[in-house]
Amino acid sequence: VEYEVVLPAIAKLSNVKNQIKQVVTSSIAEYMKPLSQYVKRTSKAVQENPYKDKIAHVRIGNELCTEEKAYLEKRMPKVKVTLEKLLGRSIDLKNVPKIALLGSGGGHRALVSFTGWAEGFTKIGLMDTVTYMAGVSGSTWFVALWLLSGLPIDKFKEKLSMTVGEGLLNITPYEFILLANSFLVKAAFDQNVTLIDIWGGLIANTFLKDSGDKRYMQYLSQQVKTIADGDWPLSIYTAIRADENSKQDIYEFTPYEIGATWLGPQGIYVPTWAYGRKFKNGVSVDFAPQQNVGFMKGTFGAAIAARIDTSLAFIFANKKILPPFDQIVDVVLSTIGNQRVTTASINNFAFGIEGSVVKDAEQINLSDTGNEINLPYAPLSGERPERLADIMIFLDVSLGLPGDFRKVEKYARKKGLKYPVINYANVENRTVSIFKDANDSTVPLVIYMPLVSDSSLIKKAKDAQLFTGLIAHIDGFDVQKCMHGGYCDTANNKYTKEQVEQLSALTEFNVLANKDTIIEAIAWKVDQLEKSHTSK
């Protein structure tokens, strides 16, 4: 084989993707011309859209939106009451910490693990003290599904254990028609349809079956009703800018709005219900319906949208590439390594806004945040000061622990953000680690809980009645082996009921077994806030 011929041919692959995209997009647009008006007249997603006659406006500025501020005014007093019961003391409202759960990506492993952690936090009385739940990839699936369900966590787990056994590819002809109809709605408004729409559609078809024909009419903005009284934590989802040369530019999504701090000199945000519409100079120019939860979850969990260099690094991790394949990989990396096979593509709400770094782009592209940094630190980091979490509880099921936890600290130092010094020695083998700064109350308390099994901790707990049901599931469970070739593998999307019970039991146990450590750390932070405010 003449590599002088083969390698340049590989380098041309970058053009193939763009050519296919142009052909598919233009073909769909041509086909849709006679159908678009019919779809707009007859589609329930269009006709039942409560915002179908409302013009949307972009908001510029990194202060929290009025809706989130109103939420905090309702949530924090309720957190105060719960914390006082938990700690057995009176706490001034100004000393009540903002507590955030930050879940990593990891596919169904993250979804099931977060469920167990949440059940554990509920049992020790901590969940009602949480203000924010943020996620990457599979953790966003948990957050979105739980809030949409409105169920108690134990009932949600029962429902989940029945659902994840079906697998994402189990779709009937009728369900395929429902999925295709959701694509027709997007195409009717000249919106791109990519592989991420298909991926997200399969996710929605699997997990939202109980919504029947309206499984593609479930939206993040519906969560506004769930959290309206401040009884639930506020959800934050993340995706990453997927332009060819960008890294770690994070978009954030809440039930209220979507945007990013880095989009301009100030942040640029759009109402969640208007995300996907065409905008010009900060004003919507059509009345397209909302992007459904399936597409959103597909965006958040779009591991297939990783950069080629990231994908190759994952595939060949700790493996020596033998000649001549090392030459081929080098050429791929040097020519198309910064490109992606596919992305989530959406109309740019910042189009035409002076000062925006993407003001000239009609479309923006997004990918799974986990492709770059697998923990949702950015939205709670203090880049938006009003939202800085006083206590960050990282729930990490990433492969290669604690690699992405290290990335969080690097991100914080690079941005000049408040963050404690982390001692990484053996952190990946402990079920809980606490990091704090005793000299600065503005530095968050960090609680790190990776997906690990501590046999000595399990042995000590065997005789405790609190753990009896859990021990039966986790005694002898090698979760690391499970993550590397077992059912906990990131690529596996089909869990049995017993596997859901086992994995969620492990994370629930890790919370319950560390109850005193976690509560003592929170009490320490409350003390620190009290001393800080008293000294002022």
Side-chain angles (χ1 to χ4, degrees):
V1 178
E2 294 291 337
Y3 296 109
E4 292 80 1
V5 175
V6 175
L7 299 185
I10 293 175
K12 293 180 181 179
L13 286 174
S14 59
N15 294 324
V16 174
K17 182 187 74 172
N18 292 330
Q19 291 171 3
I20 292 175
K21 182 178 178 180
Q22 290 173 4
V23 170
V24 172
T25 301
S26 61
S27 298
I28 291 177
E30 187 66 27
Y31 177 73
M32 281 303 302
K33 283 180 181 178
L35 287 177
S36 63
Q37 291 303 316
Y38 175 79
V39 171
K40 291 177 181 179
R41 288 196 312 269
T42 60
S43 170
K44 289 183 179 180
V46 178
Q47 294 302 316
E48 295 181 14
N49 174 20
Y51 307 99
K52 65 180 180 180
D53 300 317
K54 187 173 182 178
I55 296 173
H57 297 270
V58 165
R59 187 179 69 83
I60 298 176
N62 278 320
E63 71 279 3
L64 298 182
C65 65
T66 55
E67 294 88 350
E68 185 168 341
K69 290 178 180 178
Y71 163 81
L72 290 174
E73 288 180 359
K74 293 181 179 179
R75 180 64 175 174
M76 297 312 291
K78 294 187 176 184
V79 170
K80 174 182 181 296
V81 171
T82 304
L83 262 184
E84 288 176 335
K85 291 179 181 178
L86 195 64
L87 303 182
R89 58 193 271 197
S90 178
I91 306 172
D92 193 289
L93 185 59
K94 66 183 178 182
N95 299 320
V96 175
K98 291 190 183 76
I99 301 175
L101 302 181
L102 300 91
S104 77
H108 281 53
R109 180 177 71 249
L111 166 63
V112 175
S113 296
F114 205 146
T115 303
W117 270 310
E119 187 158 21
F121 289 132
T122 299
K123 286 184 177 179
I124 68 173
L126 193 64
M127 185 56 74
D128 285 337
T129 73
V130 173
T131 302
Y132 292 105
M133 285 194 301
V136 169
S137 196
S139 286
T140 68
W141 299 3
F142 164 76
V143 175
L145 291 170
W146 188 30
L147 284 178
L148 280 174
S149 75
L151 294 172
I153 188 63
D154 57 338
K155 298 298 182 184
F156 173 81
K157 188 175 76 172
E158 288 180 15
K159 177 182 174 183
L160 179 67
S161 65
M162 300 301 294
T163 306
V164 293
E166 298 183 9
L168 296 180
L169 298 180
N170 184 17
I171 183 169
T172 67
Y174 178 70
E175 290 170 339
F176 180 80
I177 292 173
L178 293 177
L179 175 59
N181 284 340
S182 73
F183 298 162
L184 288 176
V185 172
K186 295 193 70 167
F189 287 90
D190 297 322
Q191 297 177 5
N192 286 345
V193 176
T194 73
L195 289 175
I196 304 305
D197 290 88
I198 298 174
W199 169 237
L202 294 174
I203 296 170
N205 182 64
T206 300
F207 292 110
L208 298 174
K209 285 185 184 294
D210 57 355
S211 296
D213 291 354
K214 292 192 174 183
R215 67 192 69 182
Y216 298 111
M217 291 175 60
Q218 305 301 307
Y219 309 106
L220 291 187
S221 65
Q222 290 174 238
Q223 296 175 2
V224 170
K225 293 182 180 179
T226 304
I227 65 176
D229 295 328
D231 293 329
W232 289 71
L234 175 60
S235 56
I236 303 178
Y237 312 90
T238 59
I240 202 160
R241 182 182 177 190
D243 297 341
E244 292 178 355
N245 294 303
S246 65
K247 283 191 174 183
Q248 296 191 352
D249 290 332
I250 311 295
Y251 288 96
E252 62 177 57
F253 302 71
T254 77
Y256 302 124
E257 62 179 11
I258 295 165
T261 59
W262 53 267
L263 277 169
Q266 302 180 69
I268 300 176
Y269 302 88
V270 66
T272 299
W273 54 264
Y275 177 70
R277 287 186 179 186
K278 290 183 178 180
F279 280 79
K280 187 173 182 180
N281 300 327
V283 181
S284 62
V285 296
D286 68 17
F287 295 94
Q290 304 179 55
Q291 300 299 305
N292 66 62
V293 165
F295 172 72
M296 301 297 258
K297 288 195 290 185
T299 299
F300 307 149
I304 58 174
R307 285 165 48 121
I308 291 173
D309 54 5
T310 302
S311 298
L312 288 177
F314 177 79
I315 293 170
F316 294 111
N318 302 318
K319 298 176 184 176
K320 184 176 181 180
I321 307 174
L322 300 175
F325 301 105
D326 56 344
Q327 298 178 47
I328 296 174
V329 170
D330 287 343
V331 170
V332 170
L333 292 177
S334 64
T335 56
I336 59 172
N338 63 353
Q339 296 188 25
R340 305 170 193 266
V341 175
T342 188
T343 63
S345 180
I346 203 81
N347 288 321
N348 179 17
F349 54 87
F351 180 63
I353 295 179
E354 200 59 40
S356 171
V357 298
V358 295
K359 72 180 183 67
D360 297 323
E362 293 187 7
Q363 302 286 315
I364 55 176
N365 301 304
L366 300 92
S367 172
D368 186 329
T369 304
N371 290 329
E372 300 292 349
I373 180 169
N374 203 32
L375 287 163
Y377 167 67
L380 296 150
S381 65
E383 290 183 84
R384 302 182 73 180
E386 295 169 281
R387 198 195 276 156
L388 173 63
D390 300 294
I391 299 173
M392 300 180 180
I393 305 177
F394 289 96
L395 308 173
D396 193 359
V397 305
S398 306
L399 297 176
L401 297 170
D404 285 278
F405 188 46
R406 290 178 182 271
K407 289 181 182 179
V408 170
E409 185 176 12
K410 289 179 180 178
Y411 183 98
R413 305 298 178 225
K414 181 180 178 180
K415 300 276 187 177
L417 300 166
K418 298 280 190 175
Y419 196 76
V421 174
I422 306 296
N423 179 0
Y424 296 98
N426 207 38
V427 71
E428 71 276 14
N429 295 317
R430 295 195 295 267
T431 54
V432 64
S433 298
I434 311 292
F435 305 98
K436 53 193 176 183
D437 187 326
N439 300 315
D440 188 348
S441 64
T442 64
V443 174
L445 169 75
V446 167
I447 300 175
Y448 181 62
M449 301 189 73
L451 181 58
V452 296
S453 178
D454 185 337
S455 57
S456 62
L457 193 63
I458 294 172
K459 186 177 181 180
K460 290 178 183 178
K462 276 188 175 181
D463 296 330
Q465 187 174 359
L466 175 65
F467 305 114
T468 303
L470 300 175
I471 296 294
H473 290 293
I474 65 175
D475 193 16
F477 176 38
D478 188 339
V479 71
Q480 283 298 314
K481 186 177 180 180
C482 185
M483 291 168 68
H484 295 85
Y487 73 82
C488 306
D489 189 283
T490 307
N492 179 41
N493 57 46
K494 191 173 183 179
Y495 280 46
T496 66
K497 186 176 186 297
E498 291 72 23
Q499 289 167 345
V500 171
E501 288 287 352
Q502 183 176 57
L503 184 55
S504 64
L506 176 60
T507 50
E508 180 185 341
F509 170 82
N510 286 348
V511 172
L512 298 180
N514 290 289
K515 173 184 176 181
D516 293 341
T517 301
I518 294 169
I519 293 178
E520 285 172 9
I522 293 172
W524 177 90
K525 188 62 182 180
V526 172
D527 288 340
Q528 187 185 43
L529 292 173
E530 288 178 341
K531 291 176 183 177
S532 173
H533 291 145
T534 300
S535 64
K536 292 178 181 179

